[in-house]
Amino acid sequence: MPPLDIPLATPDHQVWRSWLALADALMVQRFYLHRAESAEILGQAAALPDIDLADARALVTVPEYELIDAELADISGLTAFFAIPRRSAHREALSHPLWEAAVTQAAKLLRSEHLSVSVPEMAAAAAWWVGFFATIRHRGVHHRTLEPVTSTVGLDTLREAARVVALGTALRVIEASLRTSPAVDADAERAYCAAITGSIKIEPRLPALLEDLAELRLVDLVSLAVPWRGRFTKYAGGTGAGQVE
Amino acid sequence: MEHRYPFIAIEGMDGTGKTTVRKGLFRLWESLYAVTPLCILTTNFLDAGVGGDIVAGKYAPTEANRDHYMEALAADKQATLTRMVGPALPVRPVLSDRWLLSELAFFAAKHSMRPHDTYQRLAARIHRPLDATLVLDLPVEESLARSHARSGDATRSDWDTLDVQQRVRAVYESVLAEPDAFPLLGDVVRIDAADGPAAVLHQVWTSLRDRGLIPASVAVIEGTEPSC
């Protein structure tokens, strides 16, 4: 067989990358739209009506961590994803109830010291975003009906959501690391394979998890975090997203 | 050199992780190499006229329908190659969940045909070779245990048995021993499927890269050129 001269494609022309950039930007928009509302809710009462948690301020705390490499964050499209929690987090001495789940997920993939990424930062950001949208969940709408959400959500469901978001974050950061490595990085490749197969493994669970989360903003955050068959359903159908905003 | 993407088949007994490898390769190509592969099956029913012979020959094989099934498979595969694979390869890789090796194994297990004989009959009608056949390999007992443990998949009482699967694996071994006798299979690569899914995917990735069937470097996004 003659050897192949495999064409080198241009990632910038992939439409799903544009969809992902739009999805990332929608999270930023939602933060700025609702940060005052979240602060108001947390200022009025310690507990939330739909989540069994004694002090909901814990959902938007962030532990101290080292900054992720700025270039990696930029290439992975996650600069705002990491920056907003650092700027906005409550500094209460409260333990984030979702952080451990997220850090366990990220640590599974990023065991190598050669990967210049910060596991705690990834986990903290993932947990924070799930937590932030959880604080306003009871004022949101159901992701399919667009009617007000009336269900409760368990902490275990939110922890699972944080794991998914952490997995997706790690996948994007490792991919960025592979793009900037001048030579084959076997550690990063193995981590990338672990992240990909991790996303394949969780895919069957995602539809049920999204139904448990129920509320539109939480559903969007989690459903857009990892590659799966439903990731860009709205965008691929021409609907786009963010129309309720 | 041919300026195109590769045509790759993923083979192996049930439970060896073919679907996970295919999905993983799909995501690798789409994310790191910036191109969406076309995924196909070993039979795609693109020649509707032979659909009945395919279903009968596969699920109720008899001596009477054996030759019709063989002809139907060849017709379906050539239709797939003509309508799907050929047009796709200039612009995307094609990943097939089984292709030819599985047919050699089926006719050996169900009709006691020698792989070489089955191959010669199919090769008379199929005009495009694979670039690689990845054979996910596991001890038969382990692959059976894995396939029986899966939820949502129907196991077939006439196929998912130790005796049949041992005959299937024997065909894989015979082809791996003399791959040059089966040029339509391309490079026949044994992949150790005993490791976890991530390690198997990495094995597949490096095997394809070593054979020039995946680019040596990832696709670069503008402004992110690797530092030297």
Side-chain angles (χ1 to χ4, degrees), chain A residues 7 15-16 24 38-39 62 65 82 116 139 173-174 223:
Chain A
V15 68
W16 67 266
D24 291 340
S38 174
V62 168
Y65 51 77
F82 291 118
S116 58
R139 294 195 183 176
V173 171
I174 299 167
S223 68

Side-chain angles (χ1 to χ4, degrees), chain B residues 15-30:
Chain B
T16 51
K18 294 187 298 300
T19 301
T20 303
V21 164
R22 179 176 52 76
K23 290 181 179 178
L25 264 183
F26 179 95
R27 292 179 190 188
L28 261 182
W29 274 104
E30 191 170 57

Side-chain angles (χ1 to χ4, degrees), chain B residues 30-114:
Chain B
E30 191 170 57
S31 294
L32 279 186
Y33 301 104
V35 61
T36 303
L38 174 67
C39 292
I40 63 173
L41 302 173
T42 185
T43 46
N44 299 278
F45 291 81
L46 288 171
D47 184 342
V50 301
D53 287 334
I54 291 175
V55 171
K58 178 174 180 179
Y59 295 104
T62 65
E63 192 174 339
N65 65 25
R66 184 197 73 180
D67 290 345
H68 284 117
Y69 182 42
M70 180 88 70
E71 290 302 312
L73 281 176
D76 185 77
K77 287 190 191 311
Q78 188 52 34
T80 302
L81 290 170
T82 302
R83 292 174 55 185
M84 293 282 127
V85 179
L89 291 180
V91 293
R92 64 186 78 260
V94 177
L95 308 177
S96 188
D97 194 319
R98 304 184 185 274
W99 188 242
L100 268 181
L101 182 57
S102 287
E103 315 303 358
L104 306 188
F106 179 90
F107 282 89
K110 288 296 181 180
H111 297 291
S112 301
M113 282 185 68
R114 292 175 60 242

Side-chain angles (χ1 to χ4, degrees), chain A residues 1-14 16-17 71 75 175 178-182 184-186 188-190 192-197 199-200 203 227-229, chain B residues 1-6 20 23-24 27-35 90 129-131 197-198 201-202 205-206 209 212-215 217-222 224 226-227:
Chain A
M1 289 280 291
L4 291 186
D5 173 28
I6 297 178
L8 288 177
T10 308
D12 308 293
H13 295 169
Q14 291 177 293
W16 67 266
R17 293 192 189 273
E71 183 187 21
I75 293 165
E175 181 182 326
L178 286 168
R179 290 193 188 287
T180 53
S181 174
V184 170
D185 182 343
E189 288 185 355
R190 278 187 279 270
Y192 195 61
C193 289
I196 287 180
T197 52
S199 72
I200 294 169
E203 180 160 357
W228 71 292
R229 68 177 68 89
Chain B
M1 278 196 169
E2 290 189 59
H3 187 69
R4 63 168 175 84
Y5 291 91
T20 303
K23 290 181 179 178
R27 292 179 190 188
L28 261 182
W29 274 104
E30 191 170 57
S31 294
L32 279 186
Y33 301 104
V35 61
L130 288 155
D131 292 296
L201 180 59
H202 192 235
W205 185 1
T206 54
R209 187 169 52 207
L213 297 177
I214 267 185
S217 53
V218 302
V220 175
I221 296 175
E222 280 182 16
T224 67
S227 53

